Amino acid sequence: MLDHCSISHKGGIVLWSRSFTPEASHIASSAASPVNSLIREALIESRTTGEKYEKDGYAVKWTFVNDLELIFVVAYQRILQLSYVDELLAALKAIFVKLFQPFLTTFVASLHADSRGKGSAAGLVTSLNLASAFEGWDTYFEALLKKLEDKATQERQSRLRGPIHTQPVLESPPLSDDQSTEPSQSEDATQDERQIARNVQALKSRLRGRGGRRGGRPSMRPVESGSGRDSVNHSECTTPKRKTTKKAGRKWGDEAPTEADMDSLDYSAEKSDLNGLSSSKNIQSLLDEASMGSRNKDGLYEVKDWEFEVDNTVSAALKTAEVEAMSTNSGTVGTLGSLFSRLTGSKTLTEQDLKPVLEAMKQHLMKKNVAKEIADKVCEGVGESLIGKKVGGFQTTNNAVRMALSTSITRILTPKTSTDLLLSIRTKLSSPLTSTQQRIPYSMTFVGVNGVGKSTNLSKVCFWLIQNGLRVLIAACDTFRSGAVEQLRVHVRNLSVLGLDGAADSKGRVELFERGYGKDAAGIAKEAISYARDNNFDVVLIDTAGRMQDNEPLMRALAKLVTVNNPDKIIFVGEALVGNEAVDQLKKFDRAMRDFSSGSGSGKERGIDGMLVTKWDTVDDKVGAALSMTYVTGQPIIFVGCGQTYTDLRQLRVSNVVQAILSD
């Protein structure tokens, strides 16, 4: 176990530190700190030449990032043999520099500027607010440390167990008349094992001879059952044969079935013991405790943020931690930064200078699953912001390029409208009404192409709404696909069992409204909203049939549903796996709905209001579909689906998506 870990500047400014015990925390803040001794004796006075420094029972290891003037230090009890410390230092260095390299470059430059102007370093630290600058670093550190400690524990257990040599166990088979029966042996059996097998076989033969020999010397010992031929035959004669039971035939008749008959033919899942052990196991299979959201200070249930970048960055750093070369050139600059290695010296960037670099940047974005059309426009915007900019060196150029690309992507992904659905729902439900008006529930329509997961993710949204105390009615308006209504019925039954916080029964909080197949979807949605209004439901979730964006009749039918019912939100459900197809789907869905809804007589255009991206857990860091979808519509991504349980719903933070797209 570690005692202390810190990241400092060579000038003595501590950027970040963590102590793991109260004693270590007290020592770290005192003059006798092993870290202070390391800096004073090993680094300043150069009184040690080894890779490890020892002081007062502590072992201290360190590493540098010379171009950023950083020192990474780890201290632990000397008696402990921690094998992962070197790997931890290398990974810490790689992740920290990768995440905060632009800020660190600016920080070091400001320190040098203050030193020339005789400014105060303490004042600079206060003005920069290091705590907010390195916000989120603790999450990366804890994930990295946990992986390394788990890996070390597994290696230690494997060493303690040692190589296990399994010996084949020789079992004596039951005595039988079958002379061909021999003990089973492995090919690599030793000579002693073969001898034992022969002795056992000889003993069996002798016992069989005693039981079946005629006219010989009578044995004074009674022969046990099953030890000879006669006894076996006798047992076969006396043992009663097992009676086979026939399956009872089902009774068919012309009379109406009684309640007992109907109960015997009821094989539905609702008949199972919902309060029993099997039910609790089924409930656990519907939820992922690790994916459960949390409640804020107002008591509202919030889904988790997408934190894929933490695991992705940690895993990537561990893979490359064995290579010490990451400390300087390859560690401080990624692939995008290396594209600018030719642009050194103080000069003003021109379009000719940036052309090959922007082309490489476009290829990088396309590898991240950004549509080609969108990648072209993003790179064009970055180029316009860089042309005419004066750069003073390699690091400055890299910083400028990354900042320009990050700013462009952030501007695209930042929502132009509110993504707080709960606020919108509660605002509508709490709006004042006249005495003659009746409250209309909040309605959301889920649209998209075939097979993207509309019904599944609709049920996840329903679970989220139930956790916030809202009554939900699901309208089955997919009257075309076989099994669509049954699928929603299963979801409603499961959600009724789960209840609030995934524990209590929530029957009455969610219901299914369906009229079967082959009916008009717009009419069913209208009936569902009326039913929800009369029965005090808060939200209506309208499930629609999947359709391709080029199918004009089906798009007209969807526009009719939207025009007739005027839902509060139209949510497009799309896959994270698509690239260029995402642009085509969204453009045509949005355009068709606007055209057909405005031409229906109402005169009001309705387009996509938000997006839900499914299968997010299948694309790793290739999250460019989010950038493409947001760029096309200008509407926000409200949720992303990332699993098979009702808790596998996430919110997107713009900063996390930007980091994933910029990652190498």
Side-chain angles (χ1 to χ4, degrees), residues 349-391:
L349 294 178
T350 64
E351 184 177 356
Q352 195 64 26
D353 295 328
L354 291 172
K355 186 175 181 180
V357 183
L358 293 176
E359 180 63 28
M361 183 191 298
K362 184 179 74 173
Q363 297 299 325
H364 173 83
L365 292 177
M366 291 171 64
K367 288 179 181 177
K368 294 292 184 177
N369 220 8
V370 179
K372 182 180 182 300
E373 177 185 349
I374 309 303
D376 287 334
K377 294 181 179 179
V378 171
C379 291
E380 181 182 346
V382 171
E384 291 176 356
S385 65
L386 288 177
I387 292 175
K389 188 177 182 66
K390 182 174 289 187
V391 295

Side-chain angles (χ1 to χ4, degrees), residues 211-224:
R213 184 174 54 196
R214 295 183 182 179
R217 184 176 177 178
S219 173
M220 300 298 296
R221 190 178 299 171
V223 179
E224 297 179 0

Side-chain angles (χ1 to χ4, degrees), residues 547-655:
R547 65 204 74 210
M548 296 307 295
Q549 63 270 22
D550 296 317
N551 193 321
E552 182 177 337
L554 293 183
M555 293 306 299
R556 285 186 179 275
L558 180 61
K560 176 186 174 183
L561 184 149
V562 171
T563 304
V564 170
N565 298 283
N566 192 25
D568 296 281
K569 285 285 185 184
I570 302 174
I571 299 177
F572 177 84
V573 184
E575 284 183 332
L577 299 166
V578 297
N580 293 327
E581 184 69 9
V583 177
D584 188 58
Q585 288 177 5
L586 267 171
K587 272 187 175 180
K588 292 184 177 179
F589 255 89
D590 190 63
R591 188 72 266 161
M593 291 181 62
R594 290 182 185 277
D595 292 343
F596 297 145
S597 59
S598 62
S600 60
S602 64
K604 183 180 179 181
E605 286 188 356
R606 285 301 305 272
I608 303 296
D609 297 318
M611 290 159 288
L612 194 158
V613 186
T614 65
K615 307 173 186 178
W616 193 259
D617 53 325
T618 64
V619 294
D620 296 330
D621 60 346
K622 296 177 176 59
V623 296
L627 181 63
S628 302
M629 292 180 175
T630 308
Y631 190 95
V632 170
T633 61
Q635 300 298 335
I637 294 177
I638 301 175
F639 294 115
V640 293
C642 56
Q644 297 297 318
T645 66
Y646 294 112
T647 56
D648 289 322
L649 202 65
R650 297 286 186 274
Q651 285 182 326
L652 277 188
R653 299 295 178 191
V654 174
S655 58

Side-chain angles (χ1 to χ4, degrees), residues 19 64-65 72 142 165 167 270-271 306 343 356 378 406 431 533 551 555 563 565-566 590 645 651 662:
S19 296
F64 299 106
V65 178
F72 295 78
E142 291 166 1
H165 300 288
Q167 296 290 345
E270 295 177 356
K271 192 179 176 182
W306 173 62
L343 300 176
V378 171
S406 175
S431 59
R533 180 193 60 205
N551 193 321
M555 293 306 299
T563 304
N565 298 283
N566 192 25
D590 190 63
T645 66
Q651 285 182 326
L662 293 180

Side-chain angles (χ1 to χ4, degrees), residues 382-440:
V382 171
E384 291 176 356
S385 65
L386 288 177
I387 292 175
K389 188 177 182 66
K390 182 174 289 187
V391 295
F394 172 76
Q395 289 293 337
T396 306
T397 305
N398 179 61
N399 184 19
V401 173
R402 283 188 174 273
M403 290 301 293
L405 183 58
S406 175
T407 302
S408 179
I409 297 175
T410 302
R411 184 176 62 252
I412 295 170
L413 291 174
T414 301
K416 310 300 186 296
T417 58
S418 174
T419 59
D420 192 344
L421 277 180
L422 283 180
L423 178 62
S424 301
I425 294 171
R426 295 186 183 281
T427 300
K428 179 173 182 177
L429 296 180
S430 61
S431 59
L433 299 173
T434 63
S435 58
T436 59
Q437 288 180 319
Q438 194 172 4
R439 192 172 307 282
I440 299 177

